[in-house]
Amino acid sequence: MKKAKIVILFLIAFAFLTAGCGVKIIPKTEQEGIIDAKHNIITKEKNGLRITARSMDWRFDPYFLDEYFTPIFFIIKNDTDQKVAVSYKNFMAFDDQGNQYNAIPPANVNDMLLAREYSPFYPYYPYYPYTETIIMREKEGTYTTFGLGIPFFYSYRRSFSNIALYALPEGEIHPHAQVRGFVYFTRADQYGRELKIKLKIDGIEQEFEFILKK
Protein backbone atom coordinates (compact mmCIF):
# COMPACT_ATOMS: atom_id res chain seq x y z
CA MET A 1 0.00 0.00 0.00
CA LYS A 2 2.81 2.40 0.89
CA LYS A 3 4.52 1.71 -2.41
CA ALA A 4 1.27 2.35 -4.28
CA LYS A 5 0.89 5.74 -2.57
CA ILE A 6 4.45 6.67 -3.55
CA VAL A 7 3.75 5.75 -7.17
CA ILE A 8 0.55 7.84 -7.17
CA LEU A 9 2.37 10.84 -5.67
CA PHE A 10 5.12 10.48 -8.28
CA LEU A 11 2.57 10.41 -11.10
CA ILE A 12 0.85 13.52 -9.75
CA ALA A 13 4.17 15.36 -9.44
CA PHE A 14 5.14 14.30 -12.95
CA ALA A 15 1.83 15.59 -14.31
CA PHE A 16 2.45 18.99 -12.73
CA LEU A 17 6.01 19.15 -14.03
CA THR A 18 5.03 18.27 -17.58
CA ALA A 19 1.90 20.45 -17.68
CA GLY A 20 2.29 23.29 -20.12
CA CYS A 21 5.34 21.74 -21.80
CA GLY A 22 3.98 22.38 -25.28
CA VAL A 23 5.54 23.98 -28.30
CA LYS A 24 8.02 26.77 -27.59
CA ILE A 25 8.00 29.72 -30.00
CA ILE A 26 11.47 31.25 -29.89
CA PRO A 27 13.09 33.98 -32.05
CA LYS A 28 15.19 32.89 -34.98
CA THR A 29 18.64 34.37 -34.47
CA GLU A 30 19.53 34.60 -38.20
CA GLN A 31 17.46 37.67 -39.03
CA GLU A 32 17.81 41.45 -39.01
CA GLY A 33 16.93 43.45 -35.92
CA ILE A 34 17.67 43.21 -32.23
CA ILE A 35 17.18 39.68 -30.91
CA ASP A 36 16.77 38.92 -27.20
CA ALA A 37 16.60 35.13 -27.25
CA LYS A 38 16.48 34.88 -23.46
CA HIS A 39 13.18 36.79 -23.31
CA ASN A 40 11.83 35.71 -26.74
CA ILE A 41 11.91 39.27 -28.11
CA ILE A 42 12.50 40.57 -31.64
CA THR A 43 12.73 44.32 -32.28
CA LYS A 44 12.90 45.87 -35.74
CA GLU A 45 12.83 49.48 -36.94
CA LYS A 46 12.15 50.95 -40.36
CA ASN A 47 11.27 54.48 -41.52
CA GLY A 48 10.59 55.69 -37.98
CA LEU A 49 8.37 52.76 -37.01
CA ARG A 50 9.82 50.59 -34.23
CA ILE A 51 8.08 47.24 -33.65
CA THR A 52 8.78 44.70 -30.94
CA ALA A 53 7.31 41.19 -31.00
CA ARG A 54 7.46 38.87 -28.01
CA SER A 55 6.35 35.22 -27.95
CA MET A 56 5.54 32.90 -25.03
CA ASP A 57 4.22 35.85 -23.02
CA TRP A 58 0.60 34.91 -22.19
CA ARG A 59 0.31 34.43 -18.40
CA PHE A 60 -3.29 35.38 -17.82
CA ASP A 61 -6.72 33.83 -17.51
CA PRO A 62 -7.89 31.91 -19.50
CA TYR A 63 -4.84 29.74 -18.96
CA PHE A 64 -5.80 27.46 -21.87
CA LEU A 65 -5.90 30.21 -24.52
CA ASP A 66 -2.74 28.97 -26.27
CA GLU A 67 -4.36 25.57 -26.80
CA TYR A 68 -6.55 27.19 -29.44
CA PHE A 69 -4.74 30.40 -30.43
CA THR A 70 -1.20 31.75 -30.75
CA PRO A 71 -0.91 35.04 -28.81
CA ILE A 72 2.03 37.30 -29.74
CA PHE A 73 2.71 40.48 -27.75
CA PHE A 74 3.55 43.61 -29.76
CA ILE A 75 4.81 47.09 -28.95
CA ILE A 76 4.50 49.53 -31.85
CA LYS A 77 6.27 52.90 -31.50
CA ASN A 78 5.57 55.66 -34.01
CA ASP A 79 8.61 57.92 -34.18
CA THR A 80 7.40 59.69 -37.31
CA ASP A 81 5.66 63.06 -37.53
CA GLN A 82 2.51 61.52 -38.98
CA LYS A 83 -0.24 59.31 -37.59
CA VAL A 84 -0.15 55.63 -38.56
CA ALA A 85 -3.05 53.20 -38.49
CA VAL A 86 -3.00 49.70 -36.99
CA SER A 87 -5.52 47.00 -37.90
CA TYR A 88 -5.62 43.25 -37.22
CA LYS A 89 -6.05 42.62 -40.94
CA ASN A 90 -2.47 43.91 -41.37
CA PHE A 91 -1.10 40.92 -39.38
CA MET A 92 -0.55 37.53 -40.98
CA ALA A 93 1.46 34.44 -39.99
CA PHE A 94 2.88 31.62 -42.15
CA ASP A 95 4.69 28.42 -41.24
CA ASP A 96 7.32 26.66 -43.33
CA GLN A 97 4.70 24.20 -44.60
CA GLY A 98 2.79 26.95 -46.38
CA ASN A 99 -0.03 27.21 -43.83
CA GLN A 100 -1.49 30.67 -43.31
CA TYR A 101 -2.80 31.92 -39.94
CA ASN A 102 -4.97 35.00 -39.62
CA ALA A 103 -5.09 37.47 -36.75
CA ILE A 104 -8.41 37.21 -34.89
CA PRO A 105 -10.11 40.19 -33.17
CA PRO A 106 -10.30 39.80 -29.36
CA ALA A 107 -14.12 39.69 -29.33
CA ASN A 108 -14.07 36.73 -31.73
CA VAL A 109 -11.42 34.94 -29.64
CA ASN A 110 -13.60 35.43 -26.57
CA ASP A 111 -16.75 34.13 -28.28
CA MET A 112 -15.02 31.04 -29.66
CA LEU A 113 -13.51 30.12 -26.30
CA LEU A 114 -16.83 30.60 -24.51
CA ALA A 115 -18.60 28.40 -27.02
CA ARG A 116 -15.99 25.66 -26.57
CA GLU A 117 -15.72 25.77 -22.78
CA TYR A 118 -19.37 26.38 -21.82
CA SER A 119 -20.94 24.00 -19.28
CA PRO A 120 -24.60 24.69 -18.33
CA PHE A 121 -24.67 22.97 -14.91
CA TYR A 122 -22.19 22.17 -12.17
CA PRO A 123 -22.34 21.34 -8.43
CA TYR A 124 -22.21 24.35 -6.14
CA TYR A 125 -18.66 25.61 -5.71
CA PRO A 126 -17.48 29.17 -4.98
CA TYR A 127 -15.53 29.49 -8.25
CA TYR A 128 -15.72 27.41 -11.36
CA PRO A 129 -12.10 26.34 -12.03
CA TYR A 130 -10.09 28.49 -14.44
CA THR A 131 -13.05 30.61 -15.57
CA GLU A 132 -14.79 33.80 -14.65
CA THR A 133 -18.26 32.74 -13.53
CA ILE A 134 -21.25 34.23 -11.73
CA ILE A 135 -23.26 31.72 -9.69
CA MET A 136 -26.97 32.48 -9.60
CA ARG A 137 -28.31 32.57 -6.05
CA GLU A 138 -30.63 29.89 -4.71
CA LYS A 139 -33.20 32.53 -3.76
CA GLU A 140 -33.52 33.40 -7.44
CA GLY A 141 -34.69 29.86 -8.09
CA THR A 142 -31.96 29.27 -10.63
CA TYR A 143 -31.02 25.77 -9.59
CA THR A 144 -32.25 22.19 -9.79
CA THR A 145 -31.52 19.03 -7.80
CA PHE A 146 -32.26 16.57 -10.64
CA GLY A 147 -33.99 14.53 -7.94
CA LEU A 148 -30.66 13.87 -6.18
CA GLY A 149 -31.11 16.28 -3.29
CA ILE A 150 -27.91 18.13 -4.26
CA PRO A 151 -28.35 21.61 -5.75
CA PHE A 152 -26.92 22.07 -9.21
CA PHE A 153 -26.84 25.77 -10.06
CA TYR A 154 -27.33 27.30 -13.45
CA SER A 155 -24.25 29.31 -14.30
CA TYR A 156 -23.74 32.42 -16.34
CA ARG A 157 -20.32 32.59 -17.93
CA ARG A 158 -18.91 36.09 -18.19
CA SER A 159 -16.52 37.13 -20.91
CA PHE A 160 -12.82 36.36 -20.55
CA SER A 161 -12.09 40.03 -19.95
CA ASN A 162 -8.29 39.64 -20.08
CA ILE A 163 -8.45 38.83 -23.79
CA ALA A 164 -9.74 42.31 -24.60
CA LEU A 165 -7.89 44.11 -21.80
CA TYR A 166 -4.47 42.89 -22.97
CA ALA A 167 -5.13 43.04 -26.72
CA LEU A 168 -3.29 45.39 -29.06
CA PRO A 169 -5.67 48.32 -29.72
CA GLU A 170 -6.64 49.00 -33.31
CA GLY A 171 -6.71 52.54 -34.66
CA GLU A 172 -4.35 55.46 -35.09
CA ILE A 173 -1.02 55.87 -33.34
CA HIS A 174 -0.15 59.53 -32.95
CA PRO A 175 3.36 60.84 -33.68
CA HIS A 176 5.93 59.79 -31.07
CA ALA A 177 3.39 57.62 -29.25
CA GLN A 178 3.18 53.85 -28.89
CA VAL A 179 0.64 51.10 -28.29
CA ARG A 180 1.09 47.61 -26.88
CA GLY A 181 -0.86 44.41 -26.53
CA PHE A 182 -1.47 40.89 -27.80
CA VAL A 183 -2.41 39.91 -31.33
CA TYR A 184 -4.20 36.54 -31.40
CA PHE A 185 -3.58 34.26 -34.36
CA THR A 186 -5.36 31.02 -35.11
CA ARG A 187 -3.16 28.34 -33.54
CA ALA A 188 0.02 28.34 -35.59
CA ASP A 189 2.39 25.89 -33.88
CA GLN A 190 1.01 22.49 -34.86
CA TYR A 191 2.39 21.67 -38.31
CA GLY A 192 5.58 23.52 -39.15
CA ARG A 193 9.05 23.97 -37.69
CA GLU A 194 9.28 27.70 -38.32
CA LEU A 195 6.84 30.60 -38.10
CA LYS A 196 7.00 33.95 -39.87
CA ILE A 197 4.77 36.86 -38.87
CA LYS A 198 4.27 39.56 -41.47
CA LEU A 199 2.70 42.96 -40.89
CA LYS A 200 2.23 46.06 -42.96
CA ILE A 201 1.47 49.42 -41.33
CA ASP A 202 0.93 52.40 -43.62
CA GLY A 203 3.10 50.86 -46.30
CA ILE A 204 5.92 49.87 -43.91
CA GLU A 205 6.47 46.11 -43.97
CA GLN A 206 8.23 43.98 -41.36
CA GLU A 207 8.76 40.26 -40.81
CA PHE A 208 9.43 38.44 -37.54
CA GLU A 209 10.81 34.90 -37.71
CA PHE A 210 10.45 32.26 -35.01
CA ILE A 211 11.47 28.64 -34.50
CA LEU A 212 8.79 26.18 -33.32
CA LYS A 213 10.63 24.00 -30.82
CA LYS A 214 8.69 20.81 -30.19
Side-chain angles (χ1 to χ4, degrees), residues 182-211:
F182 284 94
V183 174
Y184 308 101
F185 296 91
T186 47
R187 188 174 174 186
D189 61 8
Q190 300 180 79
Y191 306 110
R193 294 288 179 180
E194 296 183 5
L195 185 68
K196 180 181 293 184
I197 297 174
K198 297 183 178 182
L199 60 147
K200 184 176 182 179
I201 300 176
D202 280 14
I204 301 173
E205 299 184 19
Q206 287 285 19
E207 294 185 358
F208 298 84
E209 299 179 75
F210 296 89
I211 299 294

Side-chain angles (χ1 to χ4, degrees), residues 23-69:
V23 180
K24 295 186 183 301
I25 305 174
I26 57 178
K28 190 175 182 179
T29 56
E30 299 83 13
Q31 63 181 306
E32 295 181 355
I34 301 171
I35 313 298
D36 181 352
K38 181 178 180 181
H39 298 101
N40 302 315
I41 297 173
I42 305 171
T43 299
K44 299 192 177 189
E45 187 170 359
K46 182 188 292 184
N47 298 339
L49 197 65
R50 182 182 177 90
I51 304 174
T52 296
R54 180 170 181 170
S55 61
M56 308 294 294
D57 204 39
W58 183 261
R59 300 180 179 87
F60 311 99
D61 180 68
Y63 77 101
F64 51 77
L65 182 141
D66 58 2
E67 294 178 15
Y68 306 108
F69 300 91

Side-chain angles (χ1 to χ4, degrees), residues 156-194:
Y156 168 68
R157 181 73 55 78
R158 289 186 296 161
S159 296
F160 297 109
S161 57
N162 286 334
I163 293 174
L165 284 174
Y166 296 115
L168 183 76
E170 290 185 299
E172 293 182 334
I173 308 176
H174 285 253
H176 309 291
Q178 67 180 25
V179 296
R180 65 180 65 212
F182 284 94
V183 174
Y184 308 101
F185 296 91
T186 47
R187 188 174 174 186
D189 61 8
Q190 300 180 79
Y191 306 110
R193 294 288 179 180
E194 296 183 5

Side-chain angles (χ1 to χ4, degrees), residues 7-203:
V7 171
I8 292 172
L9 289 173
F10 173 79
L11 291 174
I12 293 173
F14 180 77
F16 275 106
L17 288 172
T18 56
C21 295
V23 180
K24 295 186 183 301
I25 305 174
I26 57 178
K28 190 175 182 179
T29 56
E30 299 83 13
Q31 63 181 306
E32 295 181 355
I34 301 171
I35 313 298
D36 181 352
K38 181 178 180 181
H39 298 101
N40 302 315
I41 297 173
I42 305 171
T43 299
K44 299 192 177 189
E45 187 170 359
K46 182 188 292 184
N47 298 339
L49 197 65
R50 182 182 177 90
I51 304 174
T52 296
R54 180 170 181 170
S55 61
M56 308 294 294
D57 204 39
W58 183 261
R59 300 180 179 87
F60 311 99
D61 180 68
Y63 77 101
F64 51 77
L65 182 141
D66 58 2
E67 294 178 15
Y68 306 108
F69 300 91
T70 297
I72 303 293
F73 186 80
F74 284 92
I75 301 174
I76 302 175
K77 177 70 181 294
N78 177 17
D79 279 327
T80 73
D81 294 324
Q82 305 293 326
K83 296 178 183 178
V84 297
V86 175
S87 173
Y88 295 127
K89 67 182 180 181
N90 300 134
F91 292 78
M92 196 76 67
F94 301 87
D95 66 19
D96 56 322
Q97 300 300 310
N99 297 302
Q100 174 180 310
Y101 307 94
N102 299 327
I104 309 296
N108 294 1
V109 173
N110 177 75
D111 290 345
M112 285 186 273
L113 286 180
L114 285 177
R116 192 169 187 88
E117 296 296 322
Y118 178 72
S119 177
F121 301 103
Y122 59 91
Y124 175 76
Y125 189 73
Y127 301 100
Y128 190 67
Y130 311 119
T131 62
E132 303 175 53
T133 308
I134 297 175
I135 300 174
M136 301 299 186
R137 303 299 180 186
E138 181 176 354
K139 66 182 180 181
E140 296 173 347
T142 52
Y143 74 95
T144 178
T145 64
F146 293 108
L148 302 175
I150 302 173
F152 285 74
F153 289 78
Y154 292 85
S155 65
Y156 168 68
R157 181 73 55 78
R158 289 186 296 161
S159 296
F160 297 109
S161 57
N162 286 334
I163 293 174
L165 284 174
Y166 296 115
L168 183 76
E170 290 185 299
E172 293 182 334
I173 308 176
H174 285 253
H176 309 291
Q178 67 180 25
V179 296
R180 65 180 65 212
F182 284 94
V183 174
Y184 308 101
F185 296 91
T186 47
R187 188 174 174 186
D189 61 8
Q190 300 180 79
Y191 306 110
R193 294 288 179 180
E194 296 183 5
L195 185 68
K196 180 181 293 184
I197 297 174
K198 297 183 178 182
L199 60 147
K200 184 176 182 179
I201 300 176
D202 280 14

